[in-house]
């Protein structure tokens, strides 16, 4: 074992240990990447054999991969060395920034192709796979590398050998190749499958070597193991249903209950304690009962108390309850199966009619259906628990259809689920209180797919087609076996994940577009300021002013985009203008015989080349400037020459002023905004959702996708990943003050609808706090 070097008491730069980590990480990573890369051409050949019409694409990719293999491995290693050098300089490189910068091209704008966005997303997925498998080791590496490099801290974005930087290296490595998009994605997937495991082993080796060298050895100790909890007995009903819920929440612990259930039981207990003074605890159920039973019993009691208000008294009084028998479970299932396969016209109409109670319509249809099966309507009634189940499901769908953005085809499809969910409620009441119940998860996923889906794009139409397919299969196959929900939920979840991937691509495109537009806006502003400063004073000759306003302004703007304020080309462009103006001043002093423009000839050629003027055209333009200066010096204005006609070039369109969700007016003044409130929005995490309310009261959820490092404005996208609001923190504060912005609460369609059911059932409990 190597000797342990003396470590400083505080984190500080340690070249010896950095060199040790470098040798343990970078050469093995590059060698391993080269080794797995060597087998990728065979994988492409195998893929070509089954690719059908795309066979030629994969064969071309295989040949390109063989031809550029050395370049690919070199670019992979080059990025890791660049990231490591930044760490050694105590200025860690951001992988996110490096990926955004990659492939920007000459303009420096991040307006990248969809294929490039897909590649970026694929390497991020690769990084996520590595992080998921090796998270504990990476957490230790972050701390150890930060210690020996003398930086305040490292994270997944800054660790030079972390999965994010390796993903960037893979992206840049394949960027040198002329590959079809599908081939590039296959190669990155191969890296995920074959390279990721090897990367993790290298991480483990680096971590162990640093620990042996005495770098924070204590963090390698495993945490103390807590004694394992005794396994809970299996629930027979659950096993019989063939459902796999995963880890069910213990609803006796409020932290694990659905949000609506926590609020309901708290309010219901307080409500009961007010109604029954002297009854300690408010809720008089069995204290040893499970949390699930407590919630269900409270729901049944609430339904019983409010049923006389929600029903037509004359209909209820038609027959004495004592003369009726409850419909049996078999009879209920038979009637509901008929309604499931062939819903009546009145039931379908109730789904689209907000003025009619869906629950009451369902109960009427069940009684009518029982009559068609030969049951005497004068002798039959609904069992109270069955009636509760129908009431809850009917009201749940009423709330969902009323409060969520479900219109047209979406509303019709969700409405077809009402009867199957009544059957689920009769078979397994835990659907109302189990977050992981497959029927509940399926409804959440289907509602997410339908909400706001107007079928405007091919992707949205494909998603609606899959929704219809899933619902058709549920209607056709669901009898009394709840396992069908698990099967369909898993299948639809996979499809929805692909749709979300397309949304993520659209979101990243919105971010890249906004970033590019802001960089352009900044560059245009800086270039315009430099131009205006040089145009102050006495009017310039037409040729000189035209040169500065057109080709020079364009060249300076593009240089600022590519290199930033301190770029070499920026300095050269500014020097060209300054020297030109100095020579104009000299010419006005009638200095004759000076070799005009000689010192800036190369810079002038670069300026004219940036607008597409090369060769003889460039020479002619420079001659026009020269002759103009000579004419000024000789005081012969008639000899001044105009610039030749320049190619028509223009910068990308500057960003239009992004309209906020409302007219903010004078209230958006910075002095009118509380700085603490603005700081709250500045500190908001990426991925946070807010509700934006327009002047008509329409609510649209927006996700914080990006915060501009240039303007500090926040970019929000809608559920389709499309940009719809860019606003400053101060503007968001004003919007919140005017009631046009609020936190977004989305516990899923099921939980949100259940909260609405509770609020509609008993407004009293809604106001008890």
């Amino acid at each position: 074992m190597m000797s342990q070097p003396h470590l400083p008491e505080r984190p500080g730069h340690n070249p010896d240990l950095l060199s040790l980590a470098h040798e343990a990480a970078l050469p093995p990573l590059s060698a391993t990447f080269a080794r797995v890369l060597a087998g990728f051409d065979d994988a492409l050949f195998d893929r070509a054999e089954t690719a059908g019409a795309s066979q030629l694409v994969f064969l071309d990719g295989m040949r390109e991969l063989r031809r550029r293999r050395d370049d690919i491995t070199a670019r992979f290693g080059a990025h890791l060395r660049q990231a490591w050098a930044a760490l050694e300089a105590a200025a860690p490189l951001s992988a996110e920034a490096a990926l955004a910068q990659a492939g920007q091209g000459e303009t420096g704008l991040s307006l990248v192709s969809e294929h490039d966005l897909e590649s970026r997303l694929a390497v991020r997925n690769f990084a996520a796979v590595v992080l998921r498998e090796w998270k504990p080791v990476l957490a230790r590496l972050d701390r150890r590398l930060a210690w020996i490099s003398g930086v305040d801290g490292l994270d997944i974005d800054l660790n030079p050998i972390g999965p994010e930087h390796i993903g960037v290296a893979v992206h840049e490595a394949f960027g040198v190749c002329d590959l079809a998009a599908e081939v590039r994605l296959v190669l990155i997937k191969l890296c995920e499958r074959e390279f990721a495991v090897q990367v993790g082993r290298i991480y483990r080796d680096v971590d162990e070597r640093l620990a042996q060298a005495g770098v924070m050895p204590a963090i390698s100790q495993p945490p103390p193991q807590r004694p394992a909890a005794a396994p809970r007995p299996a629930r027979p009903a659950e096993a019989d249903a063939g459902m796999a819920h995963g880890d069910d929440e213990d609803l006796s612990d409020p932290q694990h209950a659905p949000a609506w259930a926590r609020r309901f039981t708290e309010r219901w207990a307080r409500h009961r304690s007010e109604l029954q003074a002297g009854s300690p605890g408010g809720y008089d159920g069995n204290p040893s009962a499970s949390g699930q039973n407590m919630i269900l019993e409270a729901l049944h009691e609430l339904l019983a108390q409010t049923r006389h208000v929600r029903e037509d008294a004359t209909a209820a009084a038609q027959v004495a309850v004592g003369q009726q028998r409850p419909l049996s479970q078999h009879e209920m299932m038979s009637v509901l199966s008929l309604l499931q396969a062939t819903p009546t016209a009145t039931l379908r109409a109730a789904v689209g009619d907000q003025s009619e109670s869906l629950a009451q319509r369902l109960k009427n249809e069940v009684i009518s259906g029982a009559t068609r099966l030969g049951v005497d309507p004068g002798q039959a009634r609904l069992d109270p628990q069955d009636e509760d189940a129908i009431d809850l499901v009917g009201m749940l769908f009423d709330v969902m259809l009323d409060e969520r953005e479900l219109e047209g085809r979406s509303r019709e499809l969700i409405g077809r689920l009402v009867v199957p969910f009544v059957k689920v409620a009769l078979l397994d009441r835990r659907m109302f209180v189990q977050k992981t119940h497959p029927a509940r998860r399926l409804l959440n996923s289907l509602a997410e797919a339908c909400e706001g889906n107007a079928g405007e794009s091919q992707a949205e139409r494909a998603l609606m087609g899959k929704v219809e397919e899933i619902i058709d299969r549920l209607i056709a196959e669901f009898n009394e076996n709840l396992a069908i929900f698990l099967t369909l939920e898993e299948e639809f979840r996979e499809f929805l994940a692909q749709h979300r991937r397309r949304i993520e691509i659209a979101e990243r495109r919105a971010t890249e577009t906004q970033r590019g537009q802001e960089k352009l806006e900044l560059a245009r502003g800086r270039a315009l300021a430099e131009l205006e400063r040089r145009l102050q004073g006495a009017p310039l000759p037409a040729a000189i002013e035209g040169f500065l306003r057109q080709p020079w302004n364009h060249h300076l703007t593009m240089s600022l985009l590519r290199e930033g304020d301190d770029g070499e080309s920026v300095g050269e462009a500014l020097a060209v203008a300054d020297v030109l103006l100095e020579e104009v001043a000299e010419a006005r002093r009638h200095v004759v015989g000076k070799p005009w423009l000689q010192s800036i000839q190369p810079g002038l050629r670069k300026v004219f080349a940036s607008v597409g003027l090369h060769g003889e055209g460039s020479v002619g333009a420079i001659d026009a400037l020269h002759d103009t200066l000579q004419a000024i010096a000789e005081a012969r204005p008639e000899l001044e020459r105009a610039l030749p006609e320049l190619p028509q070039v223009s910068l990308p369109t500057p960003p239009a002023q992004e309209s906020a969700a409302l007219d903010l007016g004078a209230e958006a003044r910075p002095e009118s905004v509380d700085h603490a409130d603005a700081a709250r929005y500045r500190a908001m995490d990426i991925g946070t959702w807010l509700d934006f309310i327009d002047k008509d009261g329409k609510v649209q959820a927006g996700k914080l996708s990006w915060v501009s490092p240039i303007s500090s404005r926040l970019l929000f996208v809608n559920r389709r990943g499309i940009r719809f609001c860019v606003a400053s923190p101060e503007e968001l504060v004003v919007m919140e003050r005017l009631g046009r912005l609020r936190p977004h609460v989305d516990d899923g369609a099921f939980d949100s609808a259940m909260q609405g059911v509770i609020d509609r059932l008993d407004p009293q409990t809604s106001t008890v706090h």
Side-chain angles (χ1 to χ4, degrees), residues 236 294 306 544 613 654:
M294 182 183 74
T306 58
I544 305 298
L613 205 61

Side-chain angles (χ1 to χ4, degrees), residues 708-727:
S708 169
I710 298 172
S711 66
S712 298
R713 299 166 81 201
L714 292 80
L715 166 67
F716 292 88
V717 297
N718 61 19
R719 293 190 182 278
R720 292 183 293 158
I722 306 300
R723 175 181 63 175
F724 85 96
C725 181
V726 180

